[in-house]
Amino acid sequence: MSSNMDDKNGIIADFQAITGIDNAGEALMHLSNFDWDLLAAVQHVTPKHTQHLPSEGRSTQLSEPTVMVADDFRGMIASTSNQTHRLITIEIEQNGHVIVTVTLNDSSTIDDLKTLIYAETEIPCCLQNFNGWPNNQHPSNKDTLSKLNLPDRFKLNLNSNDGDLNQELNGRANLRMFTLNITMEATTSSEYQVYKLSFSSDQTIAYVKEVVAKLTKLPVSNQQWLGWPHFVTPATTLEESHINFPVHDLKLKPSNSILKHTRRRYNTRLNQSVDMETSDSPMPSSSTSSSSTSSSSSEEDPFEDAAESLSGIDDDDVDTMFMDTEASTRIRPLIAEDTEDELAGVIQFIDEFQNRYGDMRPQFFLGTLDQAIKIACFKPAKDKRLLAVYLHHDRSVLSNVFCTQLLCFESVVQYLNTNFLVWGWDMTHPSNRNRILQSASLSLGTMAEITLRAIDINRLPALVLFTRNRSNTEILSVINGDCNISELLSSLINAQEMFAIQQQVEIKEEGERNMREMIKVEQDEAYQQSLAIDRAKEETKRVQEMEEKAIRSQIESQERQIAAEKEAIRQRIIASLPAEPEPGDQVAKIRFRLPLGKFLERRFLASDNLQVLFDYLYINGFSQEEFKVISSWPRRDLTTLGVTQTMKELNLYPQETLTLEER
């Protein structure tokens, strides 16, 4: 079989060298269509109108599009039969237009045809309905094309407008789409790969595994997954599995791949070479011969010895390995049944575990489960750690061996203490079991309680690994007690690697979020500063306006007071001012020239003194303080003279014109 595979690899290499086709999938399709006849396949891909091979320069392309086999479906149409098959070309029409042309041999099935159409058009196979089969045939998905007696070339109509199809499409439109990031572990025959696949929420776990099996050529029975919830079954749908939406991370590896280079990587990371067959090894051996074999191989691969030494125990030795139920009841429990509270139980658990199994043990966290979750998960992304909850049960036959040979093994202890926050609890007594389930429900949610409740007592003890992904604290993995040292270390390292990938993403997102927050804070501070400056300006303006208003008010008040005083004086003067005399003898006629060119005129008695003249001017708005009273000849300012002089003495009699000038 190996020789046959080498021959095929050689044929593929020759075909690629001759034709210049670099795509191995395309070369595989052409060769499989001609039953690995190199000459026939080369002649098929060589253009008819030229004597040059395609590798020497292609001047023209095929006139119609052909389907390139997608990576996800390579190998699905390969034929291993020695029988000669003819090629059939099918033009797929939709709404009157050819959307794709498919060429395949007549040994292919209708399923293969739908798969090729899906690879090119992304129309799901389940939604493809064909009309126009020759001879009005209605083949099933498993029928081969050779059974249908089809012509070498014909057309099919792809119908996607039927009422039932629309109903199904409408139903699917309401479904949620999950994106699964599947990390495929490197093996001796394949490299590390990451697949990003999308599934609707009504698809089952079994369907996902079948799709991955076709994609990776890894059978479902040989798939070992990390990241599915502990309670799921093959029939569980993605919606029912309660995985992260819209993106969930999974890890996949072959179930039998405990590879040597992986084990050596364990040794490098743990700085500990594990040799399970040394004289002081506590691991029991089934026979002297197996011990000798293990010893000889331990020099080459210590981890392989460790796995074989635990997994290779005969059924007859089970009674000598595991503690009897009666013996377990005689030892002192890790947590007494009448424990007052959770913290007291944790303190007792740590003390009793050390008394029972010694100082070489994980460093259990001294605090409640809720406190452990906050310390491990509710920290900045760079400070987060995985939380490993150890659940013990003294009535399980696995407990003593798991604790002494696995959990307290030096390499495991070092790795747990370095990368995990470990918290322990004893579920032996029903009251303690109910207490931890209630605590898990309050701190982690209902799904965590369901997962812990679903762990069978026969598979205890268990390490339950918790992580916080974005805003959800979830169970990353459950490691049951029925494992060996290699499987335990492998599970712990795989969980840590997945956590490290997730942590780097969170660190990047947290950095970007902090940067946005910092920019927002700076913008808020700048806004507040600008707002404070504006408010200060407004306050200064308001104070200034208030001061100006107060000054204006004060001036107005003073003006009103002065005006009131003037008005009082004016009224007093009006009351005391003699009445204007009638024209006649001993009457002086005085004319006043005002500043704006107007005139006032009044008669005074020749015996009236100068004060009567000033009073007359005052009541008309011309006070001595503001105006001068100038006589024309001789020119003089009457306001500088004594007010007791009479009109006659001042030569203002019988008449005179006086001019008022502003001071």
Side-chain angles (χ1 to χ4, degrees):
M1 181 174 181
S2 176
S3 176
N4 186 28
M5 182 59 69
D6 292 340
D7 292 341
K8 288 186 176 181
N9 291 335
I11 293 173
I12 293 176
D14 293 340
F15 179 83
Q16 290 180 302
I18 294 172
T19 62
I21 297 177
D22 296 328
N23 191 304
E26 184 179 355
L28 177 62
M29 180 186 71
H30 288 303
L31 288 169
S32 63
N33 286 340
F34 289 91
D35 293 327
W36 297 91
D37 187 333
L38 178 61
L39 181 59
V42 171
Q43 290 175 346
H44 174 69
V45 300
T46 303
K48 304 290 185 182
H49 59 278
T50 177
Q51 298 300 319
H52 297 286
L53 291 175
S55 60
E56 298 173 327
R58 298 184 180 182
S59 59
T60 60
Q61 298 293 332
L62 294 179
S63 60
E64 295 178 349
T66 58
V67 173
M68 180 70 68
V69 180
D71 293 341
D72 295 3
F73 304 100
R74 287 179 185 168
M76 292 182 64
I77 63 170
S79 173
T80 58
S81 171
N82 293 325
Q83 179 182 357
T84 301
H85 300 288
R86 65 189 181 93
L87 295 178
I88 298 176
T89 301
I90 306 174
E91 296 179 359
I92 307 300
E93 287 188 345
Q94 188 177 43
N95 299 326
H97 300 284
V98 176
I99 61 173
V100 66
T101 300
V102 180
T103 301
L104 66 172
N105 61 48
D106 61 357
S107 65
S108 303
T109 65
I110 305 301
D111 270 336
D112 296 336
L113 172 63
K114 290 184 175 183
T115 300
L116 291 176
I117 293 174
Y118 169 69
E120 184 68 19
T121 66
E122 297 186 358
I123 299 176
C125 298
C126 60
L127 301 183
Q128 297 179 23
N129 294 322
F130 298 117
N131 293 329
W133 287 102
N135 304 322
N136 293 325
Q137 301 179 85
H138 300 284
S140 66
N141 291 337
K142 300 302 180 184
D143 288 340
T144 59
L145 301 182
S146 60
K147 292 174 56 179
L148 306 179
N149 297 321
L150 301 172
D152 291 341
R153 190 181 186 97
F154 65 96
K155 293 183 179 180
L156 282 179
N157 182 39
L158 178 59
N159 184 6
S160 59
N161 295 320
D162 292 338
D164 293 341
L165 183 57
N166 286 334
Q167 183 177 358
E168 182 172 357
L169 287 173
N170 291 335
R172 284 182 171 268
N174 296 325
L175 297 176
R176 298 199 298 173
M177 294 301 297
F178 286 83
T179 299
L180 303 183
N181 293 333
I182 303 174
T183 302
M184 180 69 180
E185 185 181 274
T187 65
T188 54
S189 60
S190 64
E191 297 180 353
Y192 170 91
Q193 294 187 34
V194 178
Y195 301 93
K196 186 175 182 179
L197 306 178
S198 295
F199 297 93
S200 59
S201 57
D202 62 338
Q203 299 292 356
T204 63
I205 305 298
Y207 177 77
V208 173
K209 292 183 177 181
E210 289 173 1
V211 171
V212 173
K214 293 179 181 179
L215 182 64
T216 62
K217 306 300 183 292
L218 182 63
V220 175
S221 59
N222 201 30
Q223 295 175 5
Q224 182 174 342
W225 293 84
L226 184 64
W228 290 116
H230 183 64
F231 59 87
V232 300
T233 64
T236 304
T237 65
L238 296 181
E239 186 69 38
E240 296 168 345
S241 67
H242 296 283
I243 60 176
N244 293 330
F245 177 81
V247 180
H248 186 72
D249 296 326
L250 296 167
K251 196 161 187 178
L252 172 65
K253 67 175 182 179
S255 60
N256 58 353
S257 70
I258 306 296
L259 303 176
K260 290 185 177 181
H261 76 275
T262 306
R263 299 190 194 98
R264 292 194 181 99
R265 185 154 50 92
Y266 293 165
N267 296 340
T268 302
R269 292 189 178 202
L270 301 175
N271 297 320
Q272 178 68 35
S273 177
V274 182
D275 190 351
M276 299 299 296
E277 296 300 325
T278 56
S279 59
D280 59 346
S281 173
M283 186 66 65
S285 175
S286 61
S287 64
T288 305
S289 61
S290 65
S291 175
S292 174
T293 304
S294 299
S295 177
S296 63
S297 63
S298 64
E299 298 176 0
E300 179 179 330
D301 196 344
F303 264 85
E304 189 172 0
D305 300 338
E308 292 172 356
S309 64
L310 184 60
S311 61
I313 298 173
D314 295 336
D315 294 338
D316 296 338
D317 297 331
V318 172
D319 293 338
T320 62
M321 281 194 62
F322 298 110
M323 297 184 65
D324 188 85
T325 304
E326 293 181 1
S328 67
T329 59
R330 289 194 297 268
I331 63 176
R332 185 172 178 176
L334 296 181
I335 300 179
E337 187 173 8
D338 55 352
T339 302
E340 296 179 359
D341 56 30
E342 188 175 327
L343 181 59
V346 170
I347 296 173
Q348 185 179 359
F349 175 89
I350 296 174
D351 292 341
E352 293 298 333
F353 192 96
Q354 182 170 359
N355 293 336
R356 186 184 298 183
Y357 300 109
D359 294 333
M360 180 55 66
R361 61 169 178 81
Q363 191 68 36
F364 292 106
F365 175 74
L366 183 59
T368 64
L369 177 60
D370 184 65
Q371 293 171 341
I373 294 171
K374 291 178 180 178
I375 292 295
C377 303
F378 288 84
K379 287 289 188 70
K382 62 183 180 65
D383 298 327
K384 285 184 179 179
R385 284 195 291 170
L386 284 172
L387 174 63
V389 175
Y390 171 67
L391 300 177
H392 187 87
H393 202 296
D394 278 331
R395 294 194 179 92
S396 171
V397 295
L398 301 173
S399 294
N400 191 54
V401 170
F402 184 84
C403 291
T404 57
Q405 312 300 334
L406 302 180
L407 187 61
C408 294
F409 189 71
E410 185 175 357
S411 298
V412 176
V413 171
Q414 291 178 1
Y415 196 76
L416 283 173
N417 292 341
T418 302
N419 299 283
F420 294 79
L421 181 68
V422 187
W423 187 85
W425 190 260
D426 184 9
M427 300 177 67
T428 304
H429 296 294
S431 60
N432 293 337
R433 181 175 183 272
N434 293 334
R435 186 187 296 276
I436 187 60
L437 293 178
Q438 181 181 5
S439 180
S441 177
L442 293 175
S443 302
L444 300 169
T446 306
M447 289 308 303
E449 178 192 0
I450 294 174
T451 301
L452 298 182
R453 190 183 297 274
I455 301 176
D456 188 1
I457 185 176
N458 295 322
R459 303 194 71 188
L460 288 174
L463 272 175
V464 186
L465 307 183
F466 291 90
T467 183
R468 186 165 181 81
N469 187 5
R470 293 180 174 86
S471 60
N472 298 320
T473 303
E474 58 189 26
I475 295 178
L476 183 63
S477 178
V478 177
I479 306 174
N480 294 296
D482 53 352
C483 63
N484 57 41
I485 187 68
S486 295
E487 291 172 345
L488 175 59
L489 282 170
S490 175
S491 297
L492 293 175
I493 292 178
N494 287 341
Q496 176 59 25
E497 288 176 349
M498 183 176 293
F499 171 74
I501 295 174
Q502 171 188 317
Q503 188 179 35
Q504 291 303 315
V505 173
E506 290 189 6
I507 290 175
K508 181 180 178 181
E509 292 177 349
E510 189 175 88
E512 294 173 350
R513 185 166 57 253
N514 291 338
M515 182 63 67
R516 290 194 299 269
E517 289 294 330
M518 184 174 66
I519 294 174
K520 183 180 178 182
V521 169
E522 291 176 353
Q523 291 175 343
D524 289 343
E525 289 179 352
Y527 171 75
Q528 293 297 332
Q529 291 176 358
S530 175
L531 187 62
I533 293 173
D534 293 341
R535 288 175 176 173
K537 290 180 178 179
E538 291 181 359
E539 182 66 18
T540 302
K541 182 178 179 181
R542 187 183 66 83
V543 171
Q544 185 176 356
E545 290 177 350
M546 290 180 63
E547 290 177 350
E548 293 176 353
K549 183 178 179 180
I551 293 173
R552 286 196 303 270
S553 177
Q554 184 178 1
I555 293 174
E556 290 174 356
S557 178
Q558 291 175 354
E559 289 176 349
R560 286 194 299 272
Q561 184 178 356
I562 294 173
E565 291 176 354
K566 287 182 177 181
E567 181 63 22
I569 295 173
R570 181 173 174 275
Q571 292 298 327
R572 187 171 62 251
I573 292 174
I574 290 175
S576 62
L577 182 67
E580 183 179 6
E582 297 292 332
D585 192 22
Q586 299 299 316
V587 174
K589 182 180 179 182
I590 307 298
R591 191 177 187 190
F592 302 95
R593 183 183 288 113
L594 303 179
L596 297 178
K598 294 182 179 182
F599 291 91
L600 287 177
E601 187 176 304
R602 190 181 190 279
R603 295 182 297 275
F604 297 90
L605 294 174
S607 59
D608 288 340
N609 57 29
L610 189 58
Q611 183 63 48
V612 175
L613 186 144
F614 290 154
D615 289 344
Y616 170 75
L617 291 175
Y618 187 88
I619 64 176
N620 283 281
F622 303 99
S623 63
Q624 292 175 252
E625 292 81 7
E626 296 175 356
F627 295 90
K628 296 177 182 180
V629 181
I630 307 298
S631 63
S632 57
W633 184 260
R635 180 179 175 80
R636 53 184 175 176
D637 183 7
L638 299 182
T639 60
T640 61
L641 303 177
V643 295
T644 59
Q645 298 183 63
T646 65
M647 302 294 177
K648 193 172 184 178
E649 292 172 350
L650 295 172
N651 295 324
L652 299 178
Y653 170 80
Q655 64 180 8
E656 184 64 45
T657 299
L658 301 177
T659 303
L660 274 65
E661 294 179 0
E662 291 185 9
R663 292 186 183 276

